[in-house]
Amino acid sequence: MSRHVLAAVGMDGREIAREERLTAPSLAVVATYGDLHACDYVTVSQGESVGLYARDPGGTWDAVSPGTDAVTADEMRLWFELTHHYPGPDGADPSHPLGRAPQPGAIGRIDERRAIALVQEHIATGGLDYPTQGLVADRFAAGWRVYAPVDVDDSDPMAFLDIPVGRSVFMVGDTGRIKELTSAIPPEQADALFTAEDAFVRRPPAEEAFMNDLKAEFERLDARSGQPGAITDFTVVGTPPEDVTAARVTALTDEIARQLALCGPQRWERMVAVFSCAVSAETADLCFWQHERPLEARVPEQIALLVRRQRHLAAAMPAGPWLRLIVAVTKGPGGQAQVSTQYDYGDERLPDGQLLAPTHYRNDLAAYPRAGVPAWLRAYAGANGRRTAAPRTAPGRSVPPRQAAPERPFVDSLVGWTTHVVADQQRITYGRDSLAWEEIEWVRYPVSRTKHLGFLVPSTYTNTYTFGVGRYGNSPKSLGNLIWSKGGKRAEAPEAWLALVEFAQRVLEPRLLVDRLDLIRRGGSFTIGEMRVHRSGLTLRGVMEADWESLTDVEVADGLVWIHERGRQQPVRVSLDSANAVLLPRIVAAMAG
């Protein structure tokens, strides 16, 4: 029978001390051994099995992973270090394994303007009470810190009382990931934590990291030799074999299942977790069953970090990164648990409740280029014409680019005096401004009629047909206000306007409706005109505070949406000129039903 090896381990994974024992040590023995060597981690090995124990900041020891392999134990050690100890009272340490930002790789670094635009979009879609104009961005190692500056009158000794306490600051990583933090956290600590999270998720496998460090050491020695160029080339060759990567991904999935199991009630029988991920965002649904009764639970951010890491490792597999991960655990007799894992690579369109915004899939395709992208995802992400992985060919041969037949626009109409609006199945373009349909987040198409009273001549009429689409935050203004005018009391709507409205109703509005309903049901909110739409109902400050059940009818007439509430004599009105006002009747019908 193999012996148990007890090892005190530093935060960098290096052994401080070790000893062998004939029997498995208890938690009390492990804690005493760790305290003796003034370390935060102890491993207990028996053959290939490694158990990891850790001490939290309060000094309490517990099992992080009772039994796994050495590589996964290292993964879990760094994870615990990040979520419990880093950066520590002394701040960030560049020599720490999590202290250096990962290389941008295929993603590249986003610029300041893009970071601000992403935050503006995040604020608008989340219905956050935060200014979108005048935002500034400060660069740090892994991205940008975006915030609304506060002007303080230095000449007024009491001006500090006007400084908001705990205001939000948005951390934007080079992957497009946004994390909202409070300004009460010192900027240096916020930067260090965000950088460490990206470093944890995107660090290379152990073998590749070793070779990269070896290359850096050779280059350092080469520079000190006094003969620059002595080492003319150093190539890091090879990646872990596919079966090794698969084993690591599976082992980390088991650890994720183990951590999720701690989020449920004491005597649950079954658990299902569904993660829908891209490089810059994710959703997580977790449900336990106890006596056949479902109990929903929240997935902590710490476990979401593990899921991001698992997906980054899985991206090295031939199938590439998954879009959905489904982990199911069933408890058997004697407390044994069976873990079942299912990967969804997007062969079919994802369920609406687990479909992320198109921009996140564009970020993902940039971070993980791949040859095979499902047609629905390519269309949804607006990836046509964007670079993905090139198909593999035999050496010395090239594949000629496929010549796509030019698509015929269904609208090509003059708007105003000199500029055409052109729309096909993929995009709408007006002058130099253009948007893919899948990028669009709001639509409007109000109609108005103005009567011009004549004194000694008959009255005349001007009919205005407006069509607008755009994105929240940074969006081309010209596409939000395309106007056709026609005279006459009984004028017919312009064909171009009718074609755009028909396309919006058939293609845009179903997707926008699903996105808005999903946002509401997840606890988010947004505004339509001055009306705030949220999980509980509709709010118009000073006028209406209605829950969904109190709404009796919604109708559209005379360029307005009329909302009737039980007990209210006069309906509340929302102008169809407001972005997405056309969705209000169906939003109310879905939520009230």
Side-chain angles (χ1 to χ4, degrees):
M1 183 175 180
S2 60
R3 298 193 175 195
H4 299 268
V5 179
L6 198 64
V9 181
M11 58 84 184
D12 55 0
R14 297 180 181 179
E15 283 192 4
I16 299 171
R18 68 156 48 198
E19 67 177 52
E20 292 187 3
R21 290 175 171 260
L22 294 176
T23 58
S26 65
L27 178 60
V29 170
V30 167
T32 301
Y33 190 77
D35 291 340
L36 174 65
H37 295 285
C39 65
D40 290 325
Y41 305 98
V42 171
T43 59
V44 179
S45 307
Q46 185 183 29
E48 298 295 324
S49 176
V50 180
L52 174 68
Y53 298 81
R55 175 170 51 183
D56 66 19
T60 302
W61 285 86
D62 204 352
V64 178
S65 175
T68 183
D69 59 88
V71 173
T72 307
D74 273 347
E75 294 276 356
M76 298 303 291
R77 174 185 49 75
L78 270 181
W79 171 74
F80 193 92
E81 175 76 10
L82 171 62
T83 56
H84 289 77
H85 294 296
Y86 193 81
D90 298 327
D93 179 4
S95 65
H96 192 282
L98 300 173
R100 290 177 292 177
Q103 294 297 318
I107 305 170
R109 289 185 174 140
I110 64 173
D111 59 23
E112 177 182 2
R113 186 172 62 177
R114 174 64 175 157
I116 292 175
L118 287 173
V119 171
Q120 290 173 327
E121 177 185 354
H122 177 80
I123 293 169
T125 56
L128 305 181
D129 184 15
Y130 198 90
T132 57
Q133 302 302 315
L135 299 179
V136 297
D138 296 333
R139 180 74 196 183
F140 66 100
W144 296 87
R145 188 189 317 112
V146 179
Y147 57 94
V150 178
D151 294 326
V152 178
D153 184 3
D154 294 334
S155 64
D156 183 0
M158 303 300 291
F160 73 93
L161 295 174
D162 297 327
I163 301 177
V165 177
R167 196 171 192 179
S168 292
V169 174
F170 300 91
M171 315 297 289
V172 185
D174 286 324
T175 62
R177 180 172 72 94
I178 296 177
K179 183 173 184 177
E180 185 177 350
L181 298 176
T182 172
S183 58
I185 300 176
E188 297 80 7
Q189 185 178 16
D191 296 349
L193 285 171
F194 192 92
T195 301
E197 288 175 1
D198 274 9
F200 171 77
V201 171
R202 293 164 52 198
R203 72 191 188 283
E207 299 90 342
E208 187 178 331
F210 171 77
M211 294 302 292
N212 286 333
D213 291 343
L214 187 61
K215 175 184 178 182
E217 181 64 12
F218 266 96
E219 290 174 344
R220 185 183 68 82
L221 294 174
D222 183 39
R224 289 180 55 187
S225 68
Q227 296 179 344
I231 301 175
T232 58
D233 187 29
F234 191 112
T235 304
V236 177
V237 180
T239 57
E242 181 181 334
D243 58 341
V244 173
T245 301
R248 288 179 180 172
V249 169
T250 301
L252 198 53
T253 305
D254 290 342
E255 293 299 324
I256 291 169
R258 184 177 288 116
Q259 296 298 326
L260 288 171
L262 302 176
C263 301
Q266 286 188 349
R267 294 180 176 84
W268 59 269
E269 295 102 18
R270 184 162 56 96
M271 177 197 84
V272 175
V274 182
F275 300 93
S276 178
C277 292
V279 71
S280 54
E282 68 269 329
T283 66
D285 298 303
L286 176 61
C287 189
F288 294 87
W289 279 263
Q290 188 175 29
H291 305 304
E292 297 303 317
R293 185 165 66 95
L295 301 168
E296 293 187 356
R298 186 182 67 87
V299 176
E301 168 65 16
Q302 296 96 318
I303 300 180
L305 274 170
L306 272 181
V307 174
R308 289 179 212 148
R309 174 59 177 168
Q310 190 264 24
R311 185 174 187 265
H312 181 74
L313 292 175
M317 300 287 289
W322 47 264
L323 297 185
R324 283 199 312 157
L325 169 65
I326 303 170
V327 179
V329 181
T330 303
K331 284 185 177 178
Q336 296 297 317
Q338 180 179 357
V339 180
S340 149
T341 305
Q342 179 182 347
Y343 296 102
D344 184 348
Y345 293 97
D347 295 333
E348 302 291 337
R349 183 183 174 93
L350 269 57
D352 289 333
Q354 294 162 359
L355 191 64
L356 304 174
T359 185
H360 297 306
Y361 294 112
R362 288 194 292 274
N363 293 341
D364 206 60
L365 292 172
Y368 302 114
R370 62 203 88 172
V373 180
W376 75 265
L377 180 59
R378 188 165 56 249
Y380 178 73
N384 292 332
R386 301 176 191 272
R387 184 176 61 180
T388 56
R392 296 182 180 179
T393 60
R397 300 185 63 184
S398 61
V399 176
R402 180 182 299 175
Q403 298 296 324
E407 187 171 345
R408 184 175 180 180
F410 63 86
V411 168
D412 187 348
S413 170
L414 190 66
V415 180
W417 296 101
T418 59
T419 308
H420 281 247
V421 58
V422 179
D424 56 27
Q425 299 296 322
Q426 304 298 326
R427 308 186 70 81
I428 179 171
T429 302
Y430 178 71
R432 295 183 178 180
D433 292 332
S434 182
L435 280 174
W437 293 112
E438 293 295 344
E439 294 180 278
I440 289 168
E441 296 172 333
W442 59 261
V443 62
R444 67 189 187 99
Y445 39 86
V447 178
S448 63
R449 173 184 292 171
T450 303
K451 182 178 180 180
H452 308 278
L453 295 175
F455 179 55
L456 298 175
V457 295
S459 299
T460 59
Y461 299 84
T462 299
N463 302 278
T464 303
Y465 302 86
T466 302
F467 184 84
V469 290
R471 293 170 55 84
Y472 293 108
N474 189 16
S475 184
K477 293 183 179 180
S478 65
L479 289 172
N481 203 40
L482 302 171
I483 298 175
W484 290 262
S485 295
K486 294 187 71 173
K489 190 174 183 178
R490 296 179 176 84
E492 294 184 356
E495 291 185 4
W497 182 85
L498 286 173
L500 289 170
V501 170
E502 187 277 333
F503 185 87
Q505 293 175 338
R506 177 171 53 86
V507 176
L508 278 183
E509 291 182 23
R511 172 174 65 79
L512 296 177
L513 179 63
V514 168
D515 289 345
R516 298 295 93 186
L517 290 175
D518 182 60
L519 179 60
I520 295 170
R521 287 164 178 157
R522 291 181 179 275
S525 66
F526 54 92
T527 57
I528 296 180
E530 296 182 357
M531 179 75 72
R532 180 170 171 263
V533 186
H534 49 92
R535 179 184 285 178
S536 301
L538 302 177
T539 300
L540 185 59
R541 186 172 298 177
V543 178
M544 168 184 272
E545 185 70 49
D547 56 37
W548 296 111
E549 291 75 13
S550 69
L551 302 178
T552 59
D553 189 25
V554 180
E555 57 183 337
V556 177
D558 303 324
L560 299 168
V561 180
W562 302 76
I563 303 172
H564 299 263
E565 182 187 7
R566 187 180 297 111
R568 178 185 293 273
Q569 292 184 350
Q570 297 296 326
V572 173
R573 299 171 294 176
V574 177
S575 172
L576 282 174
D577 194 50
S578 303
N580 280 342
V582 293
L583 301 179
L584 259 179
R586 281 177 286 175
I587 290 175
V588 173
M591 296 303 296

